[in-house]
Amino acid sequence: MGLKFIALVFVVVFAYFNGLNYAEKAPKFSFIQEATSAPEVSFYDYIIIGGGTAGCPLAATLSTGESNVLVLERGGSPYTNTTKVRMKNFISTLTDNSPDSFSQAFVSEDGVPNNRARVLGGGTVINVGFYGRAEPSFLKQAGVDEAVAKDSYAWVEKKLVHKPVAFEWQSAVRSGLLEVGVLPDNGFTYAHINGTKTSGTIFDRNGNRHTAADLLQYANPNRIKVYLHAVVHKITFRTKDGCRPKAEGVIFYDANGRKHTAYLKNESNSRASEIVLSAGAIGSPQLLMLSGIGPAARLRSLGIKVVLDQPMVGRDMADNPLYGLIISYPNSIPLSLATVAGIVDKIYIETVNGYDFSSLSLGSGAPANSTTNLGFILGKFKGPTSEGYLELKSTNVSDNPNVRFNYYHAADDLRNCVRGMKTVIDVVNSESLSRYRFRNTTTRDLLKMMVDLPVNLRPRHANATTSLEQYCIDTVMTFWHYHGGCRIGKVVDRDYKVIGVDSLRVIDASTFAFSPGTNPQASIMMLGRSIGLRILRSRRRWSN
């Protein structure tokens, strides 16, 4: 008995100090500082705007060369309050809209609420944590070598990704997917393949979230500087008659409103020095336009000097619409975030449970931290085909731009939603989930509950509980997987260089034609690492 007790104490103490070790990572990153400590003028080989899902792995990689790297992040650090990034606080952190929160809310022109990350680590700090690699077609579209991608995924996984514990709700839904024919059973895998699988998670066994910011452990601390609460207002260019504009620096402001300018170094190999936009699918096209690259007429109407007339900046914006059902179950079971996925061609199904999902609704008075006996079986589909646009609302970078995703504008998207909803309904009605259902609750009741929730600002129609097409349109929510605005082949080339200017790239989801896998975070981090390696190779060639 004594040995068992000592072993139990050891496990408890280990788990406790494991949490402390996670919380104490920030002091080890001596290169992460508040922007108030930045000099008025500074010079770097690489300036990365946005320390998010792509920016952190990119910066860590570039710093291992012979170059000095600056990262400018408009938000704070996820390490300052690690309770906010624990699994149990997922919804409260996502829905926190206080001035210094990790999440900035916006409502698209479609009437659908959404969120932008504003924190070191980007979307990996506020998402559901699901980790899975992309389908092979994405690598071809992104122009990334398969072997480099494989190594880059593994580089990310070593620091962030965990095999999830067997959560009760996730296991039940997994059995339900198999029962209704989402086959084969693929077990545990990161691969994006048809069937049912358990994938990775960025939450460890203690419920601690591991984010893209953790990838800065790979950085050379002597070659990198990260400034927090550094709000970039514009990129500056050197322009001469008859010559292509060349990015030369950025203007940013700290939390006290003090102006700073960071320039690219003017060295013999200065053509290898670059500014990289990694501000996300909303921030990158917005900053390009604020810096004078975009539709000329719109920029002039806002008093912005045109550097390059580029009408495709802000075009081809897309977001994967979310569909699904909330199920009330009778007994309390541990909460969980997505670790199980069902993949049938273009249809992807995931699930979460134990949270008060009404906190995601508009105008909900529910406490965001509360937990309930609710499960959410939700899905998205590959694509989407529907696309919209992003336009500047003002010249204030802190203002959200106007964004329209045109959900279900394409008939094929609506058909895929209906197919996905039929699979969700089949899983809900499966024998595997029968013990998690109130037997007197019908499918129609569940559909009506979703229709009655104020999940968006769109009108409701009387036939939304009898027509799955109308249900999809009326209850559409975001999957937070928006992309586009700086598409490859239209705004950037295959090396992610902005077409028509020098010394400027965009590396993030704004370059994507579709959102990879069931969750894009793995592939966005992989992209940051892969293109970082490509830039290092190119710089070495130039130096030699």
Side-chain angles (χ1 to χ4, degrees), residues 265-501:
K265 285 184 176 179
N266 184 21
E267 298 176 344
S268 59
N269 64 346
S270 61
R271 276 192 284 179
S273 298
E274 295 174 311
I275 295 170
V276 183
L277 259 173
S278 293
I282 305 299
S284 287
Q286 180 187 24
L287 271 168
L288 277 182
M289 289 189 277
L290 288 173
S291 304
I293 299 177
R298 177 61 178 166
L299 299 186
R300 291 191 183 101
S301 72
L302 291 170
I304 298 172
K305 179 183 177 181
V306 177
V307 173
L308 178 69
D309 182 10
Q310 172 46 288
M312 295 310 298
V313 174
R315 300 293 102 176
D316 306 313
M317 292 294 299
D319 179 32
N320 294 82
L322 180 151
Y323 55 82
L325 286 175
I326 293 176
I327 303 98
S328 176
Y329 47 80
N331 300 315
S332 180
I333 57 176
L335 58 79
S336 68
L337 288 174
T339 60
V340 166
I343 303 172
V344 185
D345 297 323
K346 293 183 177 182
I347 307 302
Y348 313 148
I349 307 295
E350 298 176 8
T351 187
V352 298
N353 85 291
Y355 298 89
D356 185 358
F357 302 109
S358 66
S359 300
L360 295 173
S361 303
L362 288 167
S364 169
N369 274 323
S370 64
T371 57
T372 63
N373 293 5
L374 294 175
F376 195 5
I377 301 180
L378 56 148
K380 72 169 192 176
F381 47 85
K382 184 176 180 177
T385 303
S386 304
E387 293 177 337
Y389 59 84
L390 178 152
E391 291 181 341
L392 292 182
K393 186 187 305 181
S394 72
T395 56
N396 184 347
V397 70
S398 297
D399 289 344
N400 288 312
N402 292 324
V403 184
R404 178 178 290 278
F405 295 114
N406 284 326
Y407 296 108
Y408 300 124
H409 182 74
D412 189 50
D413 289 345
L414 192 55
R415 284 191 291 269
N416 282 327
C417 180
V418 171
R419 287 178 56 218
M421 275 303 302
K422 287 179 178 177
T423 303
V424 167
I425 291 169
D426 286 345
V427 173
V428 168
N429 292 328
S430 67
E431 181 63 28
S432 301
L433 263 70
S434 60
R435 64 185 290 251
Y436 300 98
R437 286 277 307 275
F438 287 103
R439 295 191 179 278
N440 60 343
T441 302
T442 67
T443 301
R444 179 83 176 270
D445 293 334
L446 297 178
L447 291 168
K448 186 176 188 306
M449 181 172 68
M450 283 295 294
V451 170
D452 289 343
L453 281 174
V455 296
N456 59 41
L457 297 173
R458 296 159 76 93
R460 299 295 189 271
H461 297 81
N463 65 334
T465 58
T466 57
S467 164
L468 289 180
E469 288 85 354
Q470 196 63 57
Y471 177 86
C472 287
I473 293 169
D474 286 6
T475 64
V476 62
M477 299 175 67
T478 178
F479 224 105
W480 300 279
H481 294 173
Y482 35 83
H483 52 278
C486 300
R487 285 270 293 273
I488 291 178
K490 296 184 178 181
V491 176
V492 300
D493 64 18
R494 301 291 286 180
D495 279 325
Y496 296 83
K497 296 179 179 180
V498 177
I499 298 168
V501 299

Side-chain angles (χ1 to χ4, degrees), residues 85-208:
V85 295
R86 289 184 59 81
M87 183 188 293
K88 66 180 181 180
N89 293 323
F90 160 62
I91 286 188
S92 62
T93 298
L94 177 64
T95 56
D96 178 9
N97 292 317
S98 58
D100 197 33
S101 68
F102 295 163
S103 177
Q104 180 181 3
F106 71 96
V107 179
S108 72
E109 300 294 290
D110 315 271
V112 176
N114 214 311
N115 302 84
R116 302 169 59 187
R118 54 178 174 194
V119 58
L120 189 69
T124 63
V125 180
I126 60 174
N127 67 13
V128 299
F130 187 94
Y131 182 95
R133 298 183 180 185
E135 55 272 58
S137 63
F138 172 76
L139 298 182
K140 183 177 180 180
Q141 180 261 325
V144 178
D145 177 79
E146 188 173 342
V148 174
K150 183 179 179 181
D151 289 345
S152 297
Y153 279 126
W155 182 86
V156 170
E157 289 152 12
K158 184 178 179 181
K159 293 293 184 184
L160 306 190
V161 189
H162 302 263
K163 184 176 181 179
V165 297
F167 294 107
E168 183 177 347
W169 175 259
Q170 298 291 324
S171 297
V173 173
R174 190 178 195 281
S175 297
L177 286 163
L178 294 170
E179 181 184 328
V180 304
V182 183
L183 299 170
D185 181 349
N186 293 307
F188 173 75
T189 179
Y190 296 145
H192 184 85
I193 49 179
N194 276 349
T196 295
K197 69 168 185 173
T198 299
S199 198
T201 176
I202 60 174
F203 288 98
D204 63 27
R205 287 178 173 268
N206 297 313
N208 295 315

